[in-house]
Amino acid sequence: MEIEPIRSVPALAAWLRQIDRCALPVSSTQVFSTRPLSPAYRVQNHTGAKEAKTAVSTVAQVADRLRRLATAYGEWNEFDIPAFFDLWPEHAPQLVQVQERVSTVCVTFYADMLLPSFQRIEQYWAQEFFPAYQSAQPFSNGTGGYSSFTAHFLEFEQPKMSAYWGKMLAVVAEARSALWNDIGFLAATAGAEEKANWHWAWRNPPAAGLDKRLLPALRQLPTLTLVVEFPLPAYRQPGRVRRLRRTWQSGHWRRR
């Protein structure tokens, strides 16, 4: 199964459940290690409460940019994501998704990716945990059947993943709680929508051998993903000229 980019907590949880049936992943956050985020988006690389505290101000700024986007979008002939969001060009495709529809624009900002705790676990999942799981298979019910790869996975790699997972969830949950009084965040928060995107992964049994702590219910997962939707500027709507001409001709003939 081809794996989609992991850009949120629900996405990571979904692919964890599918680890025995998906293709080798490529880290979505490794790009931030190659070139650090611009200063406006740097969350301090602390753990626990300190990371959550600095994340709150950063995500609030993102929410404010999204609030202003509806007005600014029509001023661009072709919307420049890096310029508007003050992002490096290689970071923009990972963090921001813009979908133009017939008459509306939907913009998603994957704010979970800004957290150092999320970046750490997402890179660990792709570069170490996934290969270790593949080497450890197949899992049996008794320790007598375990290979050295299975033992290493169960004794070292999985406990490390579980620790990273717990710390990351705590940071995201604390940041969400602190942002619950921010009007801009409340207007753009898209936790329900992002979870709905990954609901399919919970329809089947999870992969064998995983710690239950890595298999939470979908409804329990926090995320800082933000979404805004607004009307597509009239001059950019497909077929608008044709509709206007048809309307004009209809009125012209009625006047005659």
Side-chain angles (χ1 to χ4, degrees):
M1 183 188 303
E2 192 68 25
I3 189 168
E4 298 178 35
I6 293 178
R7 298 189 283 186
S8 70
V9 173
L12 179 56
W15 286 117
L16 265 173
R17 298 175 64 88
Q18 306 290 319
I19 193 172
D20 61 341
R21 65 206 83 162
C22 63
L24 179 68
V26 176
S27 173
S28 300
T29 63
Q30 182 62 40
V31 65
F32 305 141
S33 300
T34 305
R35 186 176 194 178
L37 285 158
S38 53
Y41 296 99
R42 291 181 196 167
V43 176
Q44 294 299 311
N45 192 13
H46 298 299
T47 58
K50 290 184 178 179
E51 181 182 352
K53 183 177 181 179
T54 56
V56 167
S57 59
T58 302
V59 175
Q61 291 180 47
V62 174
D64 183 63
R65 286 179 188 263
L66 290 173
R67 179 185 60 81
R68 294 185 279 111
L69 184 54
T71 301
Y73 195 86
E75 298 176 3
W76 303 76
N77 289 327
E78 183 176 347
F79 182 60
D80 191 331
I81 297 174
F84 179 81
F85 284 100
D86 192 20
L87 292 166
W88 297 116
E90 61 266 42
H91 295 167
Q94 299 293 342
L95 287 165
V96 184
Q97 178 179 321
V98 177
Q99 294 177 300
E100 285 194 3
R101 298 163 181 167
V102 175
S103 59
T104 61
V105 183
C106 181
V107 181
T108 304
F109 194 105
Y110 295 97
D112 291 347
M113 299 184 76
L114 300 176
L115 303 179
S117 56
F118 181 87
Q119 296 170 19
R120 177 179 59 188
I121 193 173
E122 192 274 338
Q123 291 174 37
Y124 177 71
W125 136 265
Q127 299 166 0
E128 299 184 51
F129 188 77
F130 184 92
Y133 181 91
Q134 302 305 321
S135 299
Q137 294 189 88
F139 292 92
S140 64
N141 294 326
T143 56
Y146 288 159
S147 69
S148 59
F149 295 105
T150 308
H152 177 79
F153 174 80
L154 295 174
E155 294 173 15
F156 295 99
E157 301 295 350
Q158 181 149 255
K160 187 175 180 180
M161 183 70 174
S162 297
Y164 285 168
W165 182 251
K167 291 177 181 178
M168 183 265 297
L169 286 182
V171 169
V172 178
E174 186 171 345
R176 274 187 61 87
S177 179
L179 285 162
W180 211 243
N181 293 322
D182 186 287
I183 298 297
F185 175 79
L186 290 178
T189 184
E193 292 88 342
E194 182 62 10
K195 291 177 188 179
N197 290 336
W198 299 100
H199 183 265
W200 59 268
W202 275 260
R203 294 174 184 165
N204 299 316
L210 292 180
D211 190 317
K212 290 184 178 180
R213 289 175 293 181
L214 299 176
L215 301 170
L218 180 59
R219 65 179 181 278
Q220 297 175 347
L221 295 172
T223 179
L224 299 171
T225 303
L226 303 172
V227 172
V228 292
E229 188 168 349
F230 50 87
L232 181 66
Y235 73 92
R236 299 267 290 274
Q237 294 180 18
R240 177 171 171 77
V241 172
R242 184 172 61 254
R243 293 195 301 272
L244 288 174
R245 184 180 293 115
R246 188 166 55 243
T247 300
W248 178 85
Q249 289 174 342
S250 174
H252 177 71
W253 285 109
R254 280 199 298 270
R255 287 194 297 272
R256 292 182 64 183

